Amino acid sequence: MALSSVRGLSVFISEIRNCQNKEQERLRVDKELGNVRNRFKNEKGLTPYEKKKYVWKMLYIFMLGYDVDFGHMEAVSLISAPKYPEKQVGYLVTSCLLNENHDFLRLAINTVRNDIIGRNETFQCLALTLVGNIGGREFAESLAPDVQKLLISSSCRPLVKKKAALCLLRLFRKNPDVVNVDGWSDRMAQLLDERNLGVLTSSMSLFVSLVSNNHEAYWSCLPKCVKVLERLARNQDVPQEYTYYGIPSPWLQVKTMRALQYFPTIEDPNTRRALFEVLQRILMGTDVVKNVNKNNASHAVLFEALALVMHLDAEKEMMAQCVALLGKFIAVREPNIRYLGLENMTRMLMVTDVQEIIKRHQAQIITSLKDPDISIRRRALDLLYAMCDISNAKDIVEELLQYLGTAEFTMREELALKAAILAEKFAPDLSWYVDVILQLIDKAGDFISDDIWFRVVQFVTNNEDLQPYAALKAREYLDKPAVHETMMKVSAYLLGEYSHLLARRPGCSPKEIFSILHEKLPTVSTPTISILLSAYAKILMHSQPLDPELQNQIWAIFSKYETCIDAEIQQRAVEYFALSKKGPALMDILAEMPKFPERESSLIKKAEDTETDTAELSAIKSRAQQQASNALVVTGQQPANEPQVTQLAMVKIPSINNMENNHVDQEVTHTNGTVSEVEPQNADILGDLLSPLALEGPPGVSGTETLSEDGALALAPVGEQENAVKPIVDIAERFHALCVSDSGVLYEDPYVQIGIKAEWRGQHGRLVLFLGNKTTSSLDSVQAVILSPSHLKLELSSVPEIIPPRAQVQYPLEVLNLSPSRDVAVLDFSYKFGTTLVDNKLRLPAVLNKFFQPITLSAEEFFPQWKSLATPPLKLQEVVRGVRPMSLGEMANLLNSLRLIVSPGLDPNANNLVASTTFYSESTRSMLCLVRIETDPADRTQLRMTVASGDPTLTFELKEFIKEQLISIPTASRPPVPPQPQPTAQPISSSDPGALLAGLL
């Protein structure tokens, strides 16, 4: 395009760039669009140059995001222009503005077809580019035969053939039922003989698409592909412009090998030999160098060659060579190369018998298990799992157990499952298997599914020689100060069944076994209590001669649970109490469990259902986990008296490791704004072994929630205000400071200061707003309106319209909390200073934690309450990511500042915090709230939080409130920052009876 032809466009672009703001830009664009419309209406007076210039301007305006529907016809009409400059603009702008379904494209089909079948190569290229970019069905039906003729024409230059091949590829991909490629085998074979590498590369792209759809029709092309690879591998007749860092056309090599993988194994010996010679050359000539670009190209060729080698089921010597090459790759520093090496080793194990060769690199693979990159650790775990057998199972399982303590939360469940499967499949003896499973439960109880401990119980029950050993190991684990609940289940079962086999060992008498089991009873959940009651009954049955003291202790427990609200526990207690009075008859009724029938391991089936071995699936999994912590999305504004509709993404959240917690994943779906969840199986006490991680809001959550820019929820949007008068304090910081303090400055600018003093008692609160005039002139048109959420009842007095110079007025508010909610009341405050109108919307700190009354609970008070709130929606649990890194002490201080009192030592795990408070509202009255936070010392940016209360709405709101504090409100625990005085402001006299709040502070 000549410089003169763009002068007007250049001036217009310069003017747009010089606009100071979006409004000026919009005015300038509207003016230009009006001018373009007028010129198009008087089309008879337009020269081709002017029309082209205005279409260029229209395209630029479209790129800025403005609507230019009126100019579509003008752009399409330029396609039929006889000269190249106008035709080029027409094709380019049409391809940008119109999609494949636009009606105007029908008007251009004949013109485009004439250009394709014409003799002007430049026009042919323009037309093919347009058809390829749009690729609509109508284009395919009308123009595909002409494009095919152009591709196989012997008179076309390579430039046109390349564009024709790519155009046909796009049409075939979008409309395979329309583009007729029957009988194209000979034509493709002819195209694969092309000497021009540009045409050959484009044709190979088309061939890959064709052969992936129907390889049977293209057998005649297979030798041609091998010859192409031979030519490139030997660097024969490859122009310099197609050599990339010394590698002959790496893109063409990759495409050719990709095409060969769509054919079954090659049977022809000559073709197979030639192909393996080429692959051997590629394998021998690839190494890791310092040049990144060369590495990328050579590795792209290499890994495609490896995939082809696996597809062809090559000889063992070549497979050994591939493994040796991959062994070099997993030892380099570049993480991308290590990842590819590990992934390809795993794939080789799945299709070929190279396990013994890969075992030589076991040490390096184990080193990769500790790599900083989690994607590399995942691939190393997959590879170790795939390469494990009887000879190396002990070493691999021990490494997995050692790694389990430091692994990320997202990997621990998979890690535990695979370690359990390997221990079961390749155990040299069953005692080693029992040791491994008990270690797994001890180190990662939260991530041990019921299937794992069910399986070890089956093995012990079916093997009499193993029973004393298993019972003794279970007894040893109970001596630890913190015992995970899954360990309690296993130990209770094993000791109930087989503790009599240990009677002669020290510390294993029936009374001692009962005592150590009963010590843990207050900390376990309902299903575990059921197992413990069964264990007590069997211990009593085996304690012969009968110990009267032990019998009375166990009878007292049975008697206590005969009135339990849980039907399962009540029935067991009643029946065991009655049976235990039958004397010797009890021996027959409570005999040892019979052997389980042999069955397929449910662990292996579970692993097959969840196993992933590709980078693509791993990436999808990672994205889903990142979205899980942000699953709650507000879908729209609603009236304050209507329930809020929330949308939940499909999530599956991994559990968090702790000695006192158990977990089952939960999937939550949304359908038309309604929430459904997987029903919990049963409950847990301090950790919810089988409780879902509920993320949804409970029924009845109401209010209109708007997320402000600092992450806090407000009743109404508190956006950026275009006041000429700017505040001299950070409004968000002042609000967060007042969330943990009862007095301070809420807002201050050069003319006004607004302070707050508050008192809170139960569900009642009293706020006094101090509105102070800092100037020597009056403030006029003063207005203060409270925008109240539905859960707060506010009684307020009126504010005078004028605040005299250097005076202050008080604005009392009576607050009544009706129900739990995180919605925040907003103060809409405005005034005039001279001719300047200032209007601000300020959030008031009448937030959820203001209605807390701190309370400290002992273990005897805490655990029964925690146990009674067993399942969602009264108890909710969530993995929180993106937490602001802080020490355990700092987190405890933050919770205490929110009136959630931390009880030190209540949780046996030193990395956990347990807090409690009492919430007051009209609907709930005084309601006890319990919180448990489990942290990971290795990663302070994530934790698992469990919240429980007697009200579903309160539980949900409290969980979300604490999450907001942990993620986005670092200033909440800071002391208030005193406002800086302005040099022009006159201070109010402290003798004023209503002295300004800043002075009082």
Side-chain angles (χ1 to χ4, degrees):
M1 194 189 307
L3 182 62
S4 60
S5 68
V6 296
R7 186 173 299 141
L9 177 62
S10 300
V11 171
F12 174 61
I13 293 174
S14 298
E15 291 175 353
I16 290 293
R17 288 176 175 172
N18 291 331
C19 291
Q20 298 297 316
N21 51 50
K22 192 69 177 176
E23 183 63 23
Q24 288 185 13
E25 178 189 291
R26 187 183 61 78
L27 292 174
R28 180 64 186 90
V29 168
D30 287 346
K31 179 181 177 182
E32 190 63 36
L33 286 176
N35 179 45
V36 173
R37 283 193 188 94
N38 291 334
R39 297 309 299 267
F40 283 161
K41 286 180 181 178
N42 303 320
E43 189 174 358
K44 293 182 180 179
L46 281 180
T47 64
Y49 161 74
E50 289 177 323
K51 189 172 184 179
K52 178 181 63 175
K53 179 181 70 174
Y54 291 131
V55 171
W56 273 128
K57 286 185 178 180
M58 190 176 64
L59 176 61
Y60 180 71
I61 292 171
F62 172 77
M63 292 167 63
L64 292 175
Y66 296 93
D67 190 13
V68 291
D69 287 349
F70 70 91
H72 290 173
M73 188 61 194
E74 305 300 331
V76 173
S77 66
L78 282 178
I79 292 177
S80 58
K83 296 183 179 179
Y84 173 76
E86 289 78 19
K87 186 180 285 288
Q88 179 208 26
V89 174
Y91 273 117
L92 177 61
V93 176
T94 299
S95 64
C96 292
L97 297 185
L98 306 185
N99 61 37
E100 61 183 82
N101 299 317
H102 205 286
D103 293 336
F104 283 173
L105 285 179
R106 296 191 181 95
L107 305 176
I109 286 181
N110 286 334
T111 304
V112 174
R113 183 173 186 275
N114 290 334
D115 286 337
I116 289 177
I117 64 178
R119 307 297 296 176
N120 190 316
E121 293 176 348
T122 304
F123 291 179
Q124 286 177 324
C125 290
L126 289 175
L128 290 170
T129 302
L130 173 71
V131 175
N133 282 334
I134 294 179
R137 189 174 187 85
E138 291 191 24
F139 272 3
E141 291 173 347
S142 305
L143 303 176
D146 297 311
V147 176
Q148 289 172 307
K149 289 178 183 177
L150 205 59
L151 176 59
I152 61 176
S153 172
S154 58
S155 60
C156 280
R157 292 180 58 191
L159 176 64
V160 179
K161 279 194 171 187
K162 285 194 295 184
K163 289 188 177 292
L166 296 176
C167 177
L168 188 60
L169 171 62
R170 174 65 186 276
L171 294 178
F172 180 75
R173 282 177 175 171
K174 291 207 69 174
N175 312 282
D177 57 324
V178 173
V179 179
N180 184 12
V181 291
D182 294 338
W184 259 67
S185 178
D186 294 338
R187 296 174 183 179
M188 284 309 307
Q190 178 185 346
L191 288 170
L192 295 179
D193 280 332
E194 178 69 47
R195 305 307 297 172
N196 185 286
L197 287 187
V199 177
L200 185 55
T201 303
S202 302
S203 301
M204 190 62 72
S205 298
L206 175 61
F207 179 67
V208 170
S209 185
L210 294 175
V211 78
S212 67
N213 192 55
N214 179 20
H215 73 273
E216 294 289 345
Y218 296 94
W219 277 103
S220 60
C221 298
L222 195 148
K224 305 285 185 180
C225 292
V226 176
K227 288 184 179 179
V228 169
L229 278 179
E230 283 185 291
R231 173 186 171 188
L232 296 175
R234 295 191 172 98
N235 203 357
Q236 295 176 343
D237 193 21
V238 179
Q240 185 61 36
E241 60 267 25
Y242 285 96
T243 302
Y244 184 79
Y245 286 91
I247 304 169
S249 191
W251 308 276
L252 180 55
Q253 292 190 55
V254 169
K255 289 177 187 294
T256 306
M257 288 187 284
R258 182 76 51 83
L260 288 172
Q261 291 175 55
Y262 286 106
F263 293 96
T265 302
I266 301 172
E267 300 296 340
D268 180 63
N270 294 328
T271 304
R272 187 178 176 88
R273 188 185 316 111
L275 182 55
F276 279 132
E277 287 177 2
V278 172
L279 295 175
Q280 184 75 28
R281 188 183 293 269
I282 293 173
L283 296 177
M284 294 291 292
T286 305
D287 206 348
V288 179
V289 297
K290 290 184 177 180
N291 189 298
V292 176
N293 293 327
K294 181 175 175 62
N295 273 339
N296 289 340
S298 62
H299 293 154
V301 175
L302 171 67
F303 287 116
E304 202 64 50
L306 289 173
L308 183 56
V309 168
M310 289 184 277
H311 174 74
L312 296 174
D313 194 18
E315 289 76 7
K316 192 168 184 179
E317 291 75 14
M318 180 171 281
M319 300 304 300
Q321 185 179 352
C322 293
V323 173
L325 190 58
L326 292 174
K328 292 181 182 179
F329 284 177
I330 65 174
V332 302
R333 296 181 59 184
E334 173 59 40
N336 291 333
I337 297 176
R338 290 205 307 279
Y339 178 92
L340 292 170
L342 291 167
E343 184 179 43
N344 278 274
M345 270 193 178
T346 307
R347 288 176 175 170
M348 292 188 77
L349 275 171
M350 293 177 180
V351 296
T352 56
D353 186 18
V354 291
Q355 191 166 5
E356 292 301 322
I357 306 172
I358 291 180
K359 281 183 186 177
R360 302 170 190 169
H361 305 280
Q362 180 173 314
Q364 187 59 50
I365 297 168
I366 290 174
T367 302
S368 298
L369 195 63
K370 301 166 186 175
D371 194 275
D373 191 326
I374 187 172
S375 60
I376 293 178
R377 298 200 297 272
R378 284 189 180 280
R379 298 283 77 79
L381 174 60
D382 292 341
L383 180 52
L384 285 172
Y385 178 72
M387 64 185 285
C388 186
D389 61 17
I390 190 67
S391 65
N392 60 1
K394 271 195 172 184
D395 294 335
I396 290 179
V397 171
E398 286 175 7
E399 288 293 338
L400 295 183
L401 286 172
Q402 183 180 352
Y403 175 54
L404 190 59
T406 58
E408 282 200 351
F409 290 158
T410 53
M411 286 187 64
R412 288 181 186 174
E413 186 172 1
E414 180 184 2
L415 195 60
L417 176 63
K418 289 186 173 178
I421 292 172
L422 295 179
E424 178 181 334
K425 288 174 67 175
F426 305 113
D429 57 79
L430 290 178
S431 60
W432 178 81
Y433 168 72
V434 170
D435 287 340
V436 169
I437 300 302
L438 293 181
Q439 285 184 61
L440 274 178
I441 296 173
D442 183 48
K443 291 186 176 183
D446 283 337
F447 308 95
I448 302 300
S449 66
D450 283 352
D451 292 328
I452 294 177
W453 79 267
F454 289 171
R455 192 65 177 163
V456 74
V457 163
Q458 291 175 21
F459 271 100
V460 174
T461 304
N462 290 2
N463 294 273
E464 294 183 4
D465 296 340
L466 189 61
Q467 292 165 2
Y469 180 80
L472 181 62
K473 296 299 292 185
R475 169 66 182 82
E476 291 174 0
Y477 275 102
L478 289 182
D479 287 332
K480 292 193 173 186
V483 181
H484 194 278
E485 181 147 357
T486 305
M487 183 66 76
M488 282 300 304
K489 293 178 179 180
V490 178
S491 300
Y493 181 91
L494 294 178
L495 291 174
E497 294 289 332
Y498 311 117
S499 61
H500 61 283
L501 302 177
L502 309 176
R504 296 183 180 180
R505 295 178 181 268
C508 295
S509 66
K511 190 171 184 179
E512 289 170 314
I513 295 291
F514 164 76
S515 177
I516 197 168
L517 285 174
H518 191 55
E519 283 178 7
K520 315 296 182 183
L521 181 67
T523 64
V524 299
S525 64
T526 302
T528 310
I529 293 176
S530 301
I531 300 175
L532 284 171
L533 293 181
S534 299
Y536 297 164
K538 294 211 170 193
I539 290 172
L540 183 61
M541 180 263 294
H542 287 302
S543 60
Q544 301 297 334
L546 193 63
D547 184 343
E549 183 181 354
L550 176 62
Q551 183 185 60
N552 291 334
Q553 286 179 321
I554 294 178
W555 280 359
I557 296 169
F558 290 158
S559 178
K560 173 184 174 183
Y561 283 103
E562 281 181 336
T563 57
C564 179
I565 193 172
D566 186 273
E568 173 70 18
I569 293 178
Q570 183 186 108
Q571 182 177 354
R572 290 192 186 216
V574 171
E575 292 178 356
Y576 291 154
F577 189 60
L579 289 171
S580 62
K581 293 187 176 182
K582 292 185 177 295
L586 187 65
M587 296 291 290
D588 297 328
I589 298 171
L590 293 178
E592 291 183 9
M593 287 289 291
K595 292 185 178 182
F596 290 92
E598 292 299 327
R599 66 188 71 171
E600 182 184 359
S601 173
S602 58
L603 296 180
I604 297 176
K605 185 177 184 304
K606 184 175 180 181
E608 291 172 352
D609 292 340
T610 59
E611 196 171 86
T612 60
D613 64 337
T614 65
E616 294 80 9
L617 289 179
S618 181
I620 292 171
K621 218 177 190 181
S622 177
R623 285 195 294 272
Q625 288 164 358
Q626 290 167 2
Q627 293 165 0
S629 63
N630 297 320
L632 181 62
V633 180
V634 179
T635 59
Q637 293 284 341
Q638 294 167 295
N641 60 350
E642 291 185 10
Q644 171 188 322
V645 178
T646 61
Q647 176 177 343
L648 289 166
M650 172 73 77
V651 295
K652 188 171 184 180
I653 300 184
S655 59
I656 293 209
N657 182 33
N658 185 289
M659 288 188 178
E660 287 293 330
N661 269 353
N662 294 298
H663 158 74
V664 157
D665 287 333
Q666 176 198 26
E667 292 185 352
V668 185
T669 61
H670 69 89
T671 307
N672 300 326
T674 62
V675 180
S676 62
E677 65 179 75
V678 177
E679 290 296 327
Q681 299 297 319
N682 34 38
D684 178 36
I685 174 173
L686 197 56
D688 304 335
L689 169 67
L690 298 173
S691 68
L693 297 181
L695 293 179
E696 67 279 15
V701 176
S702 63
T704 307
E705 295 181 347
T706 306
L707 195 63
S708 65
E709 60 186 6
D710 62 347
L713 287 166
L715 173 72
V718 185
E720 297 181 2
Q721 293 140 14
E722 299 296 332
N723 293 327
V725 178
K726 300 298 181 183
I728 60 176
V729 296
D730 188 323
I731 297 176
E733 185 174 328
R734 304 312 309 153
F735 170 76
H736 295 315
L738 287 168
C739 286
V740 295
S741 173
D742 289 338
S743 60
V745 176
L746 178 66
Y747 171 81
E748 185 173 6
D749 63 30
Y751 311 127
V752 166
Q753 187 182 61
I754 303 177
I756 284 185
K757 290 192 75 174
E759 292 180 354
W760 306 96
R761 190 167 299 168
Q763 63 264 41
H764 299 278
R766 186 174 187 274
L767 285 79
V768 179
L769 300 181
F770 297 86
L771 312 179
N773 181 356
K774 298 167 57 176
T775 71
T776 55
S777 303
S778 297
L779 300 180
D780 303 324
S781 303
V782 178
Q783 290 187 353
V785 179
I786 300 294
L787 307 175
S788 175
S790 60
H791 77 284
L792 292 179
K793 182 180 179 181
L794 296 173
E795 296 181 3
L796 47 96
S797 59
S798 60
V799 175
E801 292 190 2
I802 297 175
I803 301 180
R806 299 178 59 196
Q808 183 189 71
V809 297
Q810 296 184 17
Y811 185 43
L813 292 173
E814 297 292 336
V815 181
L816 176 62
N817 185 28
L818 302 177
S819 61
S821 174
R822 287 169 295 130
D823 292 345
V824 182
V826 174
L827 171 66
D828 188 351
F829 177 74
S830 62
Y831 67 91
K832 274 188 179 180
F833 180 76
T835 59
T836 303
L837 176 63
V838 182
D839 187 1
N840 286 288
K841 292 181 176 61
L842 308 169
R843 287 171 294 163
L844 293 176
V847 289
L848 190 71
N849 63 298
K850 296 297 185 181
F851 304 102
F852 290 165
Q853 184 67 40
I855 183 173
T856 303
L857 299 179
S858 64
E860 291 74 15
E861 297 168 321
F862 182 90
F863 286 115
Q865 295 289 342
W866 185 266
K867 212 167 30 169
S868 65
L869 304 170
T871 59
L874 298 182
K875 181 184 284 186
L876 299 179
Q877 192 175 80
E878 180 176 348
V879 174
V880 182
R881 295 182 177 81
V883 175
R884 179 178 174 81
M886 63 182 85
S887 67
L888 209 62
E890 291 172 333
M891 190 176 295
N893 290 337
L894 174 60
L895 293 176
N896 287 331
S897 71
L898 298 172
R899 305 187 184 186
L900 289 159
I901 302 304
V902 174
S903 302
L906 197 60
D907 194 305
N909 191 323
N911 294 315
N912 299 344
L913 294 175
V914 174
S916 55
T917 191
T918 305
F919 175 79
Y920 288 87
S921 72
E922 282 290 291
S923 63
T924 63
R925 296 299 173 181
S926 60
M927 181 72 69
L928 182 64
C929 303
L930 307 175
V931 179
R932 187 175 191 235
I933 294 178
E934 307 158 68
T935 67
D936 181 5
D939 185 0
R940 290 292 183 187
T941 64
Q942 65 175 348
L943 52 83
R944 184 164 75 171
M945 176 171 58
T946 308
V947 178
S949 78
D951 181 76
T953 303
L954 174 57
T955 303
F956 174 76
E957 294 291 337
L958 179 57
K959 176 178 71 72
E960 294 298 310
F961 176 77
I962 298 174
K963 185 168 71 172
E964 290 167 8
Q965 313 304 311
L966 295 172
I967 291 176
S968 60
I969 309 182
T971 59
S973 56
R974 298 181 191 168
V977 180
Q980 300 298 321
Q982 297 297 311
T984 58
Q986 299 295 325
I988 298 173
S989 171
S990 60
S991 61
D992 188 335
L996 195 64
L997 185 59
L1000 294 176
L1001 295 176

